[in-house]
């Protein structure tokens, strides 16, 4: 670090994630390969990201906050490339953690084969307890790049690559997400891809965590950074993943869908809603209202909507054993809540269920109906100012058979009834 022309310029785009990014930057600074600079580009951040970075890291990083929020990583990534002094650009998501060998592995591939894109292996983690993993970036066949997605945190490219194929594009007119599009564009234009064939990226995708920007938490990143820093930390982490897989965890690759099935900007807008970035002012709850479950994007918290022959539309909760459901209302005097649960994936889950309302554990009454469904009743006496967040906490999700195939689930939610408490 500190040279005029380092080997790597590490570009970290971020938006209002001050607590998360500290752990990612620490992972970057812990690299065994030392010839790099770190450039953090805020996408119009309005929180205290800049102050925290200055306090924690001082001149070890360069910080640039854009004047306006662009809504995607494209603009901050392009700005990071513009500011870069390195011969190669490596990206790091503000919620991802690198192994300390990550840049060393990428540099070795660059020096041995000189690819346009050097790619390291990445493991995606579902929310805690979800038993959900995805693996990508380990390959021999360079044509894999046309079929398999590599997250930006896992790859580096020559700095002049964007001069040859163009930079990161804006999302509104793209059918594919911006990070998919730049890789597919590179592959179509003959760029060469090579893999380190080693996992060095631990990815906690915001897109797998429903409302992650609205209700951020950095416990997973902090824990992973600490574990990787222990003796034989990398091997221990991977051995625990193998144990989960042997115990029935869901495992898959990260394959491209047919993006022609989507309208331009459709996936971009879905993803923003999923992460909690699309916010409308909550409306005042003036009387009892019934909210029937809908098919809004909900990451790994909820499976697609289904129809029950008696109870109508419902959704099974997903691999996340602690799924959230948000109702965009406000009620200055608190609320009375009734929740209809069609069924539990395992009868033991009914007895172990806990419910948080706006992040506070809440006492509730659970009554079983004659038809086998359940009604949960609770009172939340605090003011509701920015939406009512219900979080269902269960010890695990379990495999079940549904019309969508075998999947991990917890409970089947049908509707929520809310009435304001009178002040």
């Amino acid at each position: 670090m500190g040279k005029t022309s380092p080997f790597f310029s590490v570009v970290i785009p971020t938006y209002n994630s001050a607590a998360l990014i500290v752990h990612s930057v620490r992972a970057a600074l812990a690299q065994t390969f030392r010839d790099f600079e770190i450039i953090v580009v805020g996408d119009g951040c309005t929180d205290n990201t800049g102050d925290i970075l200055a306090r924690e890291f001082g001149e070890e990083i360069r910080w640039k906050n854009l004047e306006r929020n662009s809504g995607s990583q494209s603009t901050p990534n392009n700005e990071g490339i513009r500011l870069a002094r390195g011969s190669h650009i490596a990206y790091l998501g503000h919620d991802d953690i690198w192994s300390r060998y990550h840049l060393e592995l990428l540099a070795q591939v660059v020096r041995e084969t000189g690819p346009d894109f050097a790619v390291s292996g990445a493991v995606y983690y579902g929310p805690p307890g979800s038993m959900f993993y995805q693996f990508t970036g380990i390959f021999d066949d360079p044509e894999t790049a046309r079929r398999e997605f590599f997250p930006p945190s896992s790859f580096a490219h020559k700095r002049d690559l964007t001069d040859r194929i163009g930079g990161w594009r804006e999302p509104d007119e793209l059918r594919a997400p911006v990070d998919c599009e730049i890789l597919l564009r590179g592959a179509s234009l003959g760029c060469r891809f090579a893999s380190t064939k080693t996992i060095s990226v631990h990815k906690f995708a915001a897109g797998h965590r429903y409302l992650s920007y609205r209700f951020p938490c950095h416990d997973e990143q902090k824990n992973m950074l600490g574990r990787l820093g222990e003796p034989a930390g990398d091997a221990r982490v991977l051995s625990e993943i193998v144990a989960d897989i042997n115990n029935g965890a869901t495992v898959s690759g990260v394959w491209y869908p047919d993006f022609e099935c989507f309208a331009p900007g459709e996936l971009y807008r879905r993803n923003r809603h999923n992460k909690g970035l699309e916010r409308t002012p909550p409306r005042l709850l003036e009387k009892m209202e019934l909210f029937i479950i809908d098919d809004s994007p909900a990451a790994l918290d909820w499976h697609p909507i289904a129809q029950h022959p008696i109870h109508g539309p419902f959704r099974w909760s997903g691999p996340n054993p602690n799924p959230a459901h948000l109702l965009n209302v406000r009620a200055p005097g608190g609320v009375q809540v009734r929740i209809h649960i069609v069924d539990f994936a395992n009868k033991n889950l009914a007895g172990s269920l806990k419910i948080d309302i706006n992040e506070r554990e809440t006492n509730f009454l659970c009554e079983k109906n004659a038809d086998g469904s359940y009604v949960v009743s609770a009172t939340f006496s605090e003011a509701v100012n920015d939406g009512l967040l219900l979080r269902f906490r269960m010890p695990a999700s379990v495999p079940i058979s549904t019309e969508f195939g075998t999947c991990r689930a917890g409970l089947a939610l049908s509707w929520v009834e809310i009435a304001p408490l009178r002040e």
Side-chain angles (χ1 to χ4, degrees):
M1 275 179 22
K3 291 172 56 177
T4 301
S5 299
F7 192 94
F8 287 113
S9 291
V10 177
V11 175
I12 307 178
T14 189
Y15 176 67
N16 285 5
S17 297
L20 287 169
I21 199 172
V22 167
H23 307 298
S24 299
V25 173
R26 285 177 180 155
L29 289 171
Q31 295 297 294
T32 55
F33 184 91
R34 303 303 301 164
D35 192 9
F36 65 90
E37 64 174 350
I38 297 176
I39 305 168
V40 182
V41 183
D43 190 26
C45 292
T46 57
D47 65 355
N48 59 344
T49 297
D51 294 336
I52 287 180
L53 291 173
R55 184 179 70 240
E56 294 286 335
F57 306 112
E59 295 183 357
E60 292 184 285
I61 69 163
R62 297 162 65 192
W63 162 247
K64 171 73 177 290
N65 192 27
L66 302 176
E67 291 185 2
R68 291 181 296 276
N69 176 252
S70 69
S72 88
Q73 63 181 297
S74 290
T75 298
N77 278 346
N78 286 332
E79 179 64 11
I81 294 169
R82 188 187 71 80
L83 295 172
R85 297 189 293 251
S87 61
H88 288 74
I89 306 296
Y91 301 96
L92 177 56
H94 66 202
D95 45 11
D96 298 335
I97 301 296
W98 279 346
S99 158
R100 59 189 180 277
Y101 305 112
H102 177 70
L103 291 182
E104 182 179 334
L105 291 164
L106 289 178
Q108 182 178 348
V109 167
V110 169
R111 287 167 172 164
E112 289 178 352
T113 63
D116 297 292
F117 287 90
V119 182
S120 207
V123 54
Y124 282 73
Y125 296 81
S130 63
M131 297 285 280
F132 177 93
Y133 298 99
Q134 291 179 298
F135 295 90
T136 185
I138 298 178
F139 57 90
D140 290 307
D141 179 7
E143 291 298 303
T144 302
R146 297 178 181 273
R147 305 183 298 271
E148 182 177 338
F149 171 64
F150 316 131
S153 290
S154 72
F155 66 77
H157 62 71
K158 297 176 180 179
R159 186 178 64 178
D160 66 1
L161 176 80
T162 52
D163 294 333
R164 291 187 280 123
I165 72 169
W168 291 73
R169 293 177 176 168
E170 295 305 314
D172 287 330
E173 297 181 358
L174 298 177
R175 298 179 188 273
V178 296
D179 45 7
C180 300
E181 190 277 335
I182 195 169
L183 291 171
L184 288 170
R185 184 177 2 130
S188 70
L189 293 174
C191 290
R192 291 180 299 116
F193 292 76
S195 170
T196 67
K197 302 177 187 178
T198 303
I199 290 174
S200 61
V201 179
H202 300 268
K203 184 160 186 61
F204 303 91
H208 287 165
R209 286 155 177 78
Y210 183 45
L211 304 175
S212 55
Y213 276 83
R214 187 160 180 175
F215 304 102
C217 177
H218 63 98
D219 292 348
E220 293 176 275
Q221 289 82 358
K222 180 180 179 181
N223 178 264
M224 181 58 68
L225 181 64
R227 294 175 66 204
L228 292 175
E230 297 172 352
D234 291 75
R236 188 174 303 170
V237 167
L238 294 177
S239 68
E240 291 178 7
I241 295 173
V242 171
D244 277 351
I245 293 172
N246 290 336
N247 287 325
T250 300
V251 183
S252 69
V254 188
W255 308 105
Y256 290 123
D258 180 2
F259 291 119
E260 291 302 312
C261 296
F262 303 98
E266 179 182 350
L267 291 179
Y268 165 67
R269 290 186 290 273
R270 279 194 200 177
N271 205 26
R272 284 183 58 83
H273 185 281
N274 187 44
K275 296 175 182 179
L277 285 166
E278 296 292 345
R279 299 180 62 171
T280 56
R283 59 184 178 80
L284 179 64
L285 185 71
E286 298 182 296
K287 60 181 181 179
M288 187 275 287
E289 292 192 41
L290 182 68
F291 295 85
I292 297 174
I293 195 75
D294 63 24
D295 61 351
S296 299
L300 296 179
D301 281 23
W302 301 97
H303 289 295
I305 199 164
Q307 289 287 328
H308 190 278
I310 298 173
H311 303 296
F314 74 97
R315 292 178 83 166
W316 279 109
S317 63
N320 184 3
N322 304 304
H325 183 62
L326 180 66
L327 298 158
N328 198 33
V329 299
R330 58 186 177 89
V335 292
Q336 178 73 38
V337 181
R338 295 177 72 241
I339 304 164
H340 187 229
I341 298 172
V342 173
D343 202 356
F344 287 89
N346 181 305
K347 300 306 178 185
N348 294 330
L349 295 178
S352 60
L353 176 67
K354 296 181 179 179
I355 296 178
D356 294 351
I357 298 181
N358 283 1
E359 308 292 9
R360 294 181 181 273
E361 187 172 343
T362 304
N363 293 324
F364 62 90
L365 176 66
C366 184
E367 299 177 287
K368 189 171 184 178
N369 298 325
D371 59 16
S373 66
Y374 301 78
V375 172
V376 172
S377 302
T379 298
F380 187 72
S381 57
E382 299 180 27
V384 177
N385 298 314
D386 189 27
L388 188 77
L389 182 72
L390 304 175
R391 191 175 298 278
F392 303 92
R393 298 197 178 275
M394 293 166 282
S397 56
V398 299
I400 63 169
S401 295
T402 72
E403 62 183 279
F404 306 107
T406 300
C407 57
R408 301 187 74 90
L411 58 81
L413 179 63
S414 174
W415 50 256
V416 180
E417 181 184 276
I418 314 177
L421 293 178
R422 299 304 173 190
E423 298 182 80

